[in-house]
Amino acid sequence: MSTVNVRHFGLKKKNHGHFCKPIFTSLNNCFLVITCTEIQSLQLKTLSEEPLKKPVLLQKVAMAGVGGGNDFQWCFSQVKGAIDEDVAEADIISTVEFNYSGELLATGDKGGRVVIFQREQESKNRPHSRGEYNVYSTFQSHEPEFDYLKSLEIEEKINKIRWLPQQNAAHSLLSTNDKTIKLWKISQRDKRAEGYNLKDEDGRLRDPFRITSLRVPVLLPMDLMVEASPRRIFANAHTYHINSISVNSDHETYLSADDLRVNLWHLEITDRSFNIVDIKPANMEELTEVITAAECHPHQCNVFVYSSSKGTIRLCDMRAAALCDRQSKFFEEPEDPSSRSFFSEIISSISDVKFSHSGRYMMTRDYLSVKVWDLNMENRPVETYQVHEYLRSKLCSLYENDCIFDKFECCWNGSDSAIMTGSYNNFFRMFDRNTRRDITLEASRENSKPRAILKARKVSTGGKRKKDEISVDSLDFNKKILHTAWHPKENVIAVAATNNLYIFQDKIN
């Protein structure tokens, strides 16, 4: 057993000013003993299903030349949000998500608002407006609350948004804050009825004795009106803060995860859920890890994964048992003892896990890297991409300013051939899995002319730096890209930078 680190963890920052390290964000003021015992080899059973099919590469979306070659370049398309120097906390974007077709793009912020953008149709009069997203609907999803039994403030911040497949003319999405999940229906009306029998045009009821004839109401065109209405509210099922929601491939159920539990819900039932994972120990002093993210398999409704703060991923099969306390597969990369440091446990914590569209692979993001795992190989990832390795020498200062606890997300492109994730200084990184090329781009208003080509950025770690390079010492750690999204069918990406939403597209689009 290695050295035991004893640290105090409590609630994340609230309005009353308390703050502490958010590894265990919602565990209320408890002392945790973290041990670094090595995990012995486990005899894990494998799934009884046939091997997953290999990903189908779509020519339309194939990301050739992510490194900025002549055959592929990224262009600025749009930026949404105010240019104010003093950004209000409520305006900071906390999640970004395309719907299944990519025609709608939803963002949630720390003020509990959801803004939906709709893609404009191609117009001959405005050829440069192709692919532009304009505001479609804005509504208040969550309000701040207070738990009087626990004396705990519940923030209105939107932690996650997940779209449901479209079944009719309306659209549906799930949004969640720390405690409550809501199912929203977004519908539109462009016609109104006129010619009522029992009321006048101004809405007042008519005297029945004055009605001498019957009229047939007619539908007349009107200005488009988009309505967002809450259809279901799923509450009172999580003791700790919800960090993930994921819609299942059966489109009837979804899972939600907090720090210690994963629950399975039916979309039509709000008063109960099924607890499928519970890692809470009998004695909270024995707690050594928490759940950081969870996601359903894109094709097999019985399979899901969840990641932990120890850098491990567990794949579970709900056919094996009602409570998935034993995983079917356990993914962990052995740590190099020579590179172990005080920060090893912190930077190995996984902040996001995403299945590929094909279902054959999954991607995990820790603090310094992105890893791609083959579901048929558990002992190590098949690909590892360093996101900002130059920050390894800055871990001490990043620990002091709490940036080391930032939770970066990651995403796949539509063909699973490229991945994207964020970094500091409003930089975001792309990696081409076919050519192994990578590129660093910046979300900045300085290069926000329409169709302006993004220049690759480079960070210098040495004393001398070349032209167009930026020194690692001059990076702005207050500007960070935590949330990104990739259009499911085209090379269009959305990047959230504080209170601004940047949309980029390839030059061909």
Side-chain angles (χ1 to χ4, degrees), residues 58 97-106 119 133 161-167 171-174 245-254 267 295-299 357 414 486-490:
L58 306 177
E97 189 77 10
F98 281 101
N99 73 337
Y100 281 75
S101 67
E103 295 304 304
L104 296 179
L105 172 63
R119 195 177 196 185
Y133 286 83
I161 290 176
R162 289 292 181 265
W163 289 93
L164 274 66
Q166 188 175 3
Q167 306 289 348
H171 298 273
S172 300
L173 61 81
L174 291 167
I245 52 176
S246 179
V247 181
N248 211 338
S249 59
D250 58 12
H251 302 154
E252 292 183 354
T253 58
Y254 74 93
L267 286 167
E295 188 175 65
C296 296
H297 192 278
H299 307 307
H357 295 86
W486 203 309
H487 192 288
K489 299 177 182 177
E490 299 179 23

Side-chain angles (χ1 to χ4, degrees), residues 367-378:
Y367 188 67
L368 293 179
S369 65
V370 173
K371 297 173 182 177
V372 177
W373 302 77
D374 189 322
L375 295 190
N376 297 324
M377 188 168 74
E378 305 167 44

Side-chain angles (χ1 to χ4, degrees), residues 37-42 44 289 308 310-314 329-335 348 350 362 371 373 377-381:
T37 55
E38 295 186 5
I39 301 177
Q40 298 179 355
S41 59
L42 302 176
L44 302 175
E289 63 180 340
S308 81
K310 275 191 171 182
T312 61
I313 311 101
R314 291 171 172 86
K329 294 191 177 184
F330 183 82
F331 300 86
E332 182 182 31
E333 184 176 25
E335 184 183 11
S348 65
I350 295 174
M362 66 177 175
K371 297 173 182 177
W373 302 77
M377 188 168 74
E378 305 167 44
N379 57 346
R380 61 182 176 85

Side-chain angles (χ1 to χ4, degrees), residues 442-493:
E442 181 181 9
S444 171
R445 286 184 178 269
E446 296 177 1
N447 193 23
S448 59
K449 296 179 181 179
R451 313 294 292 179
I453 297 175
L454 299 185
K455 295 181 179 179
R457 305 303 304 268
K458 292 186 178 181
V459 178
S460 170
T461 55
K464 295 181 180 180
R465 58 188 178 93
K466 301 177 183 178
K467 187 180 179 181
D468 297 332
E469 285 188 343
I470 182 171
S471 171
V472 66
D473 297 318
S474 58
L475 293 176
D476 189 345
F477 294 106
N478 292 319
K479 295 180 179 179
K480 58 191 78 171
I481 304 291
L482 299 177
H483 314 287
T484 58
W486 203 309
H487 192 288
K489 299 177 182 177
E490 299 179 23
N491 278 322
V492 177
I493 58 174

Side-chain angles (χ1 to χ4, degrees), residues 237-290:
H238 284 278
T239 306
Y240 308 102
H241 292 173
I242 299 173
N243 55 47
S244 301
I245 52 176
S246 179
V247 181
N248 211 338
S249 59
D250 58 12
H251 302 154
E252 292 183 354
T253 58
Y254 74 93
L255 62 81
S256 59
D258 63 22
D259 292 342
L260 297 179
R261 296 185 179 97
V262 179
N263 292 337
L264 182 69
W265 300 82
H266 194 283
L267 286 167
E268 300 293 330
I269 302 173
T270 61
D271 59 349
R272 64 183 180 275
S273 63
F274 296 95
N275 178 230
I276 54 177
V277 173
D278 188 349
I279 65 169
K280 183 180 179 181
N283 184 357
M284 286 293 284
E285 292 183 358
E286 299 174 0
L287 183 66
T288 60
E289 63 180 340
V290 294

Side-chain angles (χ1 to χ4, degrees), residues 45-50 52 300 302-303 315-317 319 328-329 375:
K45 64 179 180 180
T46 59
L47 293 177
S48 59
E49 297 190 351
E50 60 182 358
L52 299 176
Q300 302 177 38
N302 53 284
V303 175
L315 185 143
C316 301
D317 189 339
R319 298 172 302 180
S328 296
K329 294 191 177 184
L375 295 190

Side-chain angles (χ1 to χ4, degrees), residues 58 63 89 102 177 221 260 298 357 398 408 411 440 462:
L58 306 177
M63 188 176 177
E89 183 79 8
N177 66 348
L260 297 179
H357 295 86
L398 290 167
F408 292 94
C411 61
T440 302

Side-chain angles (χ1 to χ4, degrees), residues 126-227:
R126 299 177 61 203
H128 293 292
S129 67
R130 183 188 175 195
E132 281 193 0
Y133 286 83
N134 294 320
V135 175
Y136 178 67
S137 176
T138 302
F139 58 93
Q140 188 73 29
S141 176
H142 288 73
E143 300 282 355
E145 300 176 31
F146 190 82
D147 188 335
Y148 292 96
L149 293 177
K150 299 180 180 178
S151 297
L152 178 67
E153 294 179 19
I154 302 174
E155 295 179 345
E156 64 271 32
K157 172 192 169 189
I158 307 297
N159 291 339
K160 283 288 186 294
I161 290 176
R162 289 292 181 265
W163 289 93
L164 274 66
Q166 188 175 3
Q167 306 289 348
N168 47 43
H171 298 273
S172 300
L173 61 81
L174 291 167
S175 64
T176 183
N177 66 348
D178 286 340
K179 298 292 183 181
T180 305
I181 306 163
K182 296 184 180 182
L183 172 63
W184 291 89
K185 176 184 176 182
I186 297 93
S187 55
Q188 61 183 38
R189 287 193 298 167
D190 57 359
K191 290 181 174 61
R192 59 187 173 87
E194 274 194 9
Y196 291 104
N197 291 284
L198 299 179
K199 60 183 179 181
D200 294 322
E201 301 304 329
D202 57 2
R204 289 183 298 178
L205 291 176
R206 299 173 63 186
D207 186 354
F209 296 102
R210 291 194 297 112
I211 301 175
T212 57
S213 62
L214 293 177
R215 295 185 293 177
V216 177
V218 294
L219 293 176
L220 298 178
M222 59 174 283
D223 293 336
L224 180 66
M225 183 172 67
V226 181
E227 295 178 324

